[in-house]
Amino acid sequence: MHNDTIKKIQQALLAKGFAVGEVDGVWGRRTIAAVRAFQEKAGLKVDGIVGPGTSAALFAEMAETPSGVLLPWLAEAENLLDTREMPGSGSNPVILDWADNLDIHYGSDDVPWCGLFVAHCIGATMQDEVLPSNPLGARQWERFGDPTEPRMGAVMVFWRTSPDSDKGHVGFYAGEDDGAYRILGGNQGDKVCVTWIAKNRLLKARWPRTAASLFAGPVRVDRAGDLSTNEA
């Protein structure tokens, strides 16, 4: 859904004379810049986010408008599903590029990278969002953005090993059932994937401050597979 929504946004921007580059369904810098330029011309809040107001203005004269809510950081996370660290001494250059693009010192994908994955997804799609001072540390995300109830796209911070440990895990909310959250995250089984984490391990749910205009509620999902117990 996200890729189709982004393509429709890109097509609408092109139709209004705003260059987005290739219509590829990727929420890249040119698309963000085009959204901001459109918002400025339309007299809207310039934040690069297609919330309800921007969507209404962008698609006002069009017969077909996107369905659902676009969460650009979650769309980027979905695009990266199955990205894996390299076994042994090598490192996946894609993962290393995430750190380079954010000017984060990161030497090897042997170092836990769940926080780096979240930082990339938000930093690449939400240019005005302030990231934690040490985004590699999963528990640092407890202070990110604003508090929220668990909802689609929320940054979910969990304890790892034990509640008293300083170890943690961070990923994005992608649904829930009665006992667990469905989490789209990095460094889950050494790759970007979806896994289930027990609700009693949740420490904080956080929401990007610059995405205050976007709404998404909790989503019920039938669980498939066992609970994750250690995401390192």
mmCIF file of all heavy atoms in Angstrom, residues 76-95:
data_model
loop_
_atom_site.group_PDB
_atom_site.id
_atom_site.type_symbol
_atom_site.label_atom_id
_atom_site.label_comp_id
_atom_site.label_asym_id
_atom_site.label_seq_id
_atom_site.Cartn_x
_atom_site.Cartn_y
_atom_site.Cartn_z
ATOM 1 N N GLU A 76 9.627 3.210 4.274
ATOM 2 C CA GLU A 76 11.054 2.925 4.066
ATOM 3 C C GLU A 76 11.438 1.623 4.754
ATOM 4 O O GLU A 76 12.190 0.813 4.187
ATOM 5 C CB GLU A 76 11.897 4.078 4.606
ATOM 6 C CG GLU A 76 13.399 3.855 4.560
ATOM 7 C CD GLU A 76 13.971 3.752 3.153
ATOM 8 O OE1 GLU A 76 13.235 4.014 2.166
ATOM 9 O OE2 GLU A 76 15.163 3.414 3.026
ATOM 10 N N ALA A 77 10.919 1.387 5.937
ATOM 11 C CA ALA A 77 11.215 0.135 6.640
ATOM 12 C C ALA A 77 10.727 -1.068 5.842
ATOM 13 O O ALA A 77 11.431 -2.083 5.723
ATOM 14 C CB ALA A 77 10.566 0.152 8.030
ATOM 15 N N GLU A 78 9.529 -0.966 5.272
ATOM 16 C CA GLU A 78 8.996 -2.069 4.467
ATOM 17 C C GLU A 78 9.839 -2.298 3.216
ATOM 18 O O GLU A 78 10.031 -3.445 2.788
ATOM 19 C CB GLU A 78 7.550 -1.784 4.094
ATOM 20 C CG GLU A 78 6.590 -1.864 5.269
ATOM 21 C CD GLU A 78 5.150 -1.579 4.876
ATOM 22 O OE1 GLU A 78 4.938 -1.063 3.760
ATOM 23 O OE2 GLU A 78 4.255 -1.864 5.689
ATOM 24 N N ASN A 79 10.350 -1.214 2.631
ATOM 25 C CA ASN A 79 11.200 -1.364 1.443
ATOM 26 C C ASN A 79 12.477 -2.135 1.743
ATOM 27 O O ASN A 79 13.101 -2.691 0.837
ATOM 28 C CB ASN A 79 11.573 0.010 0.879
ATOM 29 C CG ASN A 79 10.423 0.700 0.181
ATOM 30 O OD1 ASN A 79 9.469 0.051 -0.246
ATOM 31 N ND2 ASN A 79 10.496 2.015 0.064
ATOM 32 N N LEU A 80 12.891 -2.150 3.007
ATOM 33 C CA LEU A 80 14.161 -2.765 3.389
ATOM 34 C C LEU A 80 14.004 -4.167 3.979
ATOM 35 O O LEU A 80 14.983 -4.750 4.454
ATOM 36 C CB LEU A 80 14.877 -1.864 4.401
ATOM 37 C CG LEU A 80 15.361 -0.531 3.829
ATOM 38 C CD1 LEU A 80 15.785 0.412 4.944
ATOM 39 C CD2 LEU A 80 16.507 -0.747 2.847
ATOM 40 N N LEU A 81 12.794 -4.711 3.935
ATOM 41 C CA LEU A 81 12.588 -6.070 4.437
ATOM 42 C C LEU A 81 13.565 -7.050 3.784
ATOM 43 O O LEU A 81 13.837 -6.967 2.577
ATOM 44 C CB LEU A 81 11.148 -6.516 4.169
ATOM 45 C CG LEU A 81 10.100 -5.987 5.152
ATOM 46 C CD1 LEU A 81 8.699 -6.236 4.610
ATOM 47 C CD2 LEU A 81 10.264 -6.646 6.526
ATOM 48 N N ASP A 82 14.102 -7.940 4.594
ATOM 49 C CA ASP A 82 15.057 -8.979 4.184
ATOM 50 C C ASP A 82 16.477 -8.461 3.981
ATOM 51 O O ASP A 82 17.354 -9.226 3.551
ATOM 52 C CB ASP A 82 14.593 -9.727 2.922
ATOM 53 C CG ASP A 82 13.369 -10.583 3.181
ATOM 54 O OD1 ASP A 82 13.241 -11.096 4.303
ATOM 55 O OD2 ASP A 82 12.535 -10.725 2.269
ATOM 56 N N THR A 83 16.745 -7.190 4.275
ATOM 57 C CA THR A 83 18.125 -6.718 4.310
ATOM 58 C C THR A 83 18.846 -7.456 5.432
ATOM 59 O O THR A 83 18.372 -7.489 6.569
ATOM 60 C CB THR A 83 18.189 -5.202 4.562
ATOM 61 O OG1 THR A 83 17.473 -4.530 3.534
ATOM 62 C CG2 THR A 83 19.631 -4.711 4.590
ATOM 63 N N ARG A 84 19.989 -8.042 5.131
ATOM 64 C CA ARG A 84 20.678 -8.907 6.094
ATOM 65 C C ARG A 84 22.092 -8.430 6.360
ATOM 66 O O ARG A 84 22.742 -7.849 5.481
ATOM 67 C CB ARG A 84 20.763 -10.350 5.563
ATOM 68 C CG ARG A 84 19.413 -10.999 5.311
ATOM 69 C CD ARG A 84 19.580 -12.317 4.572
ATOM 70 N NE ARG A 84 18.294 -12.963 4.352
ATOM 71 C CZ ARG A 84 17.759 -13.860 5.166
ATOM 72 N NH1 ARG A 84 18.432 -14.247 6.240
ATOM 73 N NH2 ARG A 84 16.577 -14.398 4.906
ATOM 74 N N GLU A 85 22.568 -8.687 7.584
ATOM 75 C CA GLU A 85 23.994 -8.490 7.841
ATOM 76 C C GLU A 85 24.771 -9.633 7.218
ATOM 77 O O GLU A 85 24.228 -10.719 6.991
ATOM 78 C CB GLU A 85 24.275 -8.397 9.334
ATOM 79 C CG GLU A 85 23.980 -9.653 10.126
ATOM 80 C CD GLU A 85 24.258 -9.474 11.607
ATOM 81 O OE1 GLU A 85 23.579 -8.660 12.260
ATOM 82 O OE2 GLU A 85 25.162 -10.178 12.106
ATOM 83 N N MET A 86 26.043 -9.385 6.923
ATOM 84 C CA MET A 86 26.873 -10.420 6.322
ATOM 85 C C MET A 86 27.520 -11.264 7.403
ATOM 86 O O MET A 86 28.013 -10.731 8.403
ATOM 87 C CB MET A 86 27.956 -9.788 5.437
ATOM 88 C CG MET A 86 27.419 -9.135 4.166
ATOM 89 S SD MET A 86 28.728 -8.468 3.113
ATOM 90 C CE MET A 86 29.602 -9.978 2.680
ATOM 91 N N PRO A 87 27.529 -12.591 7.242
ATOM 92 C CA PRO A 87 28.176 -13.439 8.245
ATOM 93 C C PRO A 87 29.694 -13.268 8.197
ATOM 94 O O PRO A 87 30.262 -12.862 7.182
ATOM 95 C CB PRO A 87 27.761 -14.854 7.822
ATOM 96 C CG PRO A 87 27.505 -14.756 6.349
ATOM 97 C CD PRO A 87 26.953 -13.370 6.131
ATOM 98 N N GLY A 88 30.329 -13.553 9.316
ATOM 99 C CA GLY A 88 31.782 -13.486 9.349
ATOM 100 C C GLY A 88 32.292 -12.067 9.475
ATOM 101 O O GLY A 88 31.656 -11.180 10.041
ATOM 102 N N SER A 89 33.466 -11.820 8.886
ATOM 103 C CA SER A 89 34.152 -10.541 9.065
ATOM 104 C C SER A 89 33.621 -9.435 8.155
ATOM 105 O O SER A 89 33.887 -8.262 8.385
ATOM 106 C CB SER A 89 35.657 -10.720 8.813
ATOM 107 O OG SER A 89 35.883 -11.185 7.491
ATOM 108 N N GLY A 90 32.879 -9.780 7.126
ATOM 109 C CA GLY A 90 32.369 -8.760 6.209
ATOM 110 C C GLY A 90 31.155 -8.053 6.782
ATOM 111 O O GLY A 90 30.541 -8.485 7.761
ATOM 112 N N SER A 91 30.803 -6.903 6.156
ATOM 113 C CA SER A 91 29.623 -6.138 6.562
ATOM 114 C C SER A 91 28.816 -5.771 5.336
ATOM 115 O O SER A 91 29.382 -5.505 4.266
ATOM 116 C CB SER A 91 30.033 -4.860 7.310
ATOM 117 O OG SER A 91 30.649 -5.149 8.545
ATOM 118 N N ASN A 92 27.500 -5.754 5.479
ATOM 119 C CA ASN A 92 26.634 -5.358 4.380
ATOM 120 C C ASN A 92 26.809 -3.861 4.131
ATOM 121 O O ASN A 92 26.538 -3.049 5.017
ATOM 122 C CB ASN A 92 25.182 -5.664 4.748
ATOM 123 C CG ASN A 92 24.228 -5.431 3.586
ATOM 124 O OD1 ASN A 92 24.469 -4.615 2.713
ATOM 125 N ND2 ASN A 92 23.115 -6.154 3.582
ATOM 126 N N PRO A 93 27.260 -3.462 2.929
ATOM 127 C CA PRO A 93 27.490 -2.035 2.665
ATOM 128 C C PRO A 93 26.220 -1.195 2.777
ATOM 129 O O PRO A 93 26.296 0.003 3.050
ATOM 130 C CB PRO A 93 28.060 -2.022 1.241
ATOM 131 C CG PRO A 93 27.652 -3.330 0.634
ATOM 132 C CD PRO A 93 27.623 -4.301 1.769
ATOM 133 N N VAL A 94 25.054 -1.808 2.567
ATOM 134 C CA VAL A 94 23.800 -1.061 2.723
ATOM 135 C C VAL A 94 23.657 -0.580 4.159
ATOM 136 O O VAL A 94 23.308 0.583 4.415
ATOM 137 C CB VAL A 94 22.592 -1.937 2.320
ATOM 138 C CG1 VAL A 94 21.279 -1.244 2.667
ATOM 139 C CG2 VAL A 94 22.641 -2.254 0.830
ATOM 140 N N ILE A 95 23.932 -1.460 5.121
ATOM 141 C CA ILE A 95 23.821 -1.102 6.534
ATOM 142 C C ILE A 95 24.867 -0.054 6.894
ATOM 143 O O ILE A 95 24.581 0.919 7.610
ATOM 144 C CB ILE A 95 23.951 -2.355 7.410
ATOM 145 C CG1 ILE A 95 22.779 -3.311 7.126
ATOM 146 C CG2 ILE A 95 23.994 -1.990 8.891
ATOM 147 C CD1 ILE A 95 22.877 -4.649 7.839
#
